[in-house]
């Protein structure tokens, strides 16, 4: 069944590419706005972890989204600007105690695309900036009331990456667009790590947590494999 679905997708891509290639560049629809559901799916997955740890009294949250504007410069070349956000958190509350940890990231990216067949298939290169932020908060009951505390640490990254995909337009010259793509992004952090900033904020060395933060940022929140399922409109 999966193989049949892939064959249908490829046929749609080539069919749409044939229509697109016949369009004169001067009359070609040159603007595309898309919303990427890839981060939304990841956010839903983070939130879904709550069902796996429900017995511990923990709750989870997660949300993500990506928005992109693309402009056709030449028959085979486009540029695009993209904004993406991904956030997730876990909270534990029992017997008056409460703890919450939230991780979030946003990125601003510039993309250059090359369409070798003047149609659907494209190669995409990206440069950008990302920020990942950790928020920790908690509440502890005492005789006089509750003691609350919170701490925040963030780090910036230069982003770079590449992907390949298909731009499928369900119209003769523009219209509803579907863009599946697959790629890999990386992030080069600058400044102190999250662990070092957290250590300075609380006055205790917790840099051992940097290994865990590196895995999270390099696979989920900043870099790592990227699967995009973008829906939009070309005009």
């Amino acid at each position: 069944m999966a193989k049949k679905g892939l064959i249908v997708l490829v046929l749609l891509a080539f069919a749409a590419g044939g229509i697109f290639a016949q369009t004169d560049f001067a009359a070609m629809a040159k603007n595309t706005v898309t919303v990427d559901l890839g981060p939304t799916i990841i956010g839903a997955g983070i939130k879904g972890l709550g069902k796996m740890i429900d017995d511990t009294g923990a709750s989870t949250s997660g949300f993500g989204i990506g928005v992109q504007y693309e402009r056709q410069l030449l028959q085979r070349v486009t540029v695009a600007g993209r904004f993406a956000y991904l956030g997730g958190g876990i909270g534990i509350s029992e017997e008056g105690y409460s703890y919450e940890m939230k991780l979030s990231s946003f990125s601003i990216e510039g993309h250059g695309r090359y369409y070798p067949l003047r149609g659907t298939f494209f190669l995409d290169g990206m440069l950008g900036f990302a920020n990942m932020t950790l928020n920790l908060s908690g509440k502890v009951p005492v005789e006089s009331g509750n003691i609350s505390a919170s701490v925040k640490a963030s780090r910036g990254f230069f982003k770079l990456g590449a992907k390949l995909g298909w731009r499928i337009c369900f119209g003769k010259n523009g219209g509803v667009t579907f863009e599946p793509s697959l790629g890999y992004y990386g992030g080069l952090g600058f400044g102190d790590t999250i662990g070092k900033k957290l250590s300075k904020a609380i006055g205790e060395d917790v840099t051992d947590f940097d290994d865990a933060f590196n895995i999270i940022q390099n696979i989920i929140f900043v870099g790592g494999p990227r699967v995009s399922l973008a829906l939009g409109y070309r005009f």
Side-chain angles (χ1 to χ4, degrees):
M1 190 66 182
K3 292 182 178 180
K4 291 182 179 179
L6 179 60
I7 293 172
V8 171
L9 180 61
V10 171
L11 290 176
L12 283 173
F14 277 104
I19 294 172
F20 186 80
Q22 296 171 10
T23 303
D24 181 75
F25 178 71
M28 179 191 300
K30 296 181 177 64
N31 305 285
T32 307
V33 177
T34 56
V35 175
D36 185 5
L37 300 180
T40 307
I41 295 172
I42 295 175
I46 295 173
K47 185 176 181 178
L49 290 175
K51 296 181 179 180
M52 299 174 59
I53 57 178
D54 186 59
D55 292 340
T56 67
S59 61
T60 55
S61 60
F63 175 74
I65 194 169
V67 180
Q68 178 173 289
Y69 168 72
E70 180 185 6
R71 174 69 179 180
Q72 194 88 27
L73 297 182
L74 300 170
Q75 192 83 19
R76 293 183 172 87
V77 178
T78 70
V79 294
R82 184 175 185 270
F83 172 83
Y85 170 84
L86 177 63
I90 180 171
I92 299 176
S93 180
E94 55 183 357
E95 299 180 355
Y97 294 82
S98 65
Y99 309 94
E100 186 175 33
M101 181 181 73
K102 292 183 178 179
L103 272 171
S104 64
S105 68
F106 71 86
S107 63
I108 301 172
E109 305 164 2
H111 292 253
R113 285 187 177 183
Y114 178 64
Y115 292 81
L117 305 177
R118 297 190 306 171
T120 60
F121 175 71
F122 63 81
L123 303 172
D124 183 305
M126 179 277 294
L127 291 174
F129 168 82
N131 177 276
M132 188 175 82
T133 300
L134 169 69
N135 284 282
L136 295 174
S137 62
K139 182 177 69 174
V140 179
V142 295
E143 292 183 1
S144 58
N146 294 316
I147 298 177
S148 300
S150 63
V151 64
K152 177 180 178 180
S154 63
R155 192 183 191 196
F157 300 83
F158 292 113
K159 287 186 67 174
L160 66 163
K163 63 181 180 179
L164 55 86
W166 292 264
R167 181 176 67 187
I168 305 170
C169 296
F170 298 93
K172 291 185 178 180
N173 186 20
V176 175
T177 302
F178 174 54
E179 291 186 3
S181 63
L182 176 65
Y184 192 90
Y185 288 176
L188 303 174
F190 53 87
D192 288 340
T193 64
I194 295 288
K196 288 182 179 179
K197 289 187 175 182
L198 196 58
S199 298
K200 292 178 180 178
I202 66 177
E204 185 176 343
D205 186 6
V206 293
T207 54
D208 288 345
F209 287 103
D210 270 334
D211 289 340
F213 290 135
N214 287 337
I215 293 173
I216 292 172
Q217 72 191 26
N218 293 332
I219 296 179
I220 300 174
F221 283 90
V222 177
R226 285 295 181 266
V227 176
S228 174
L229 297 172
L231 292 172
Y233 194 81
R234 183 168 171 79
F235 57 95

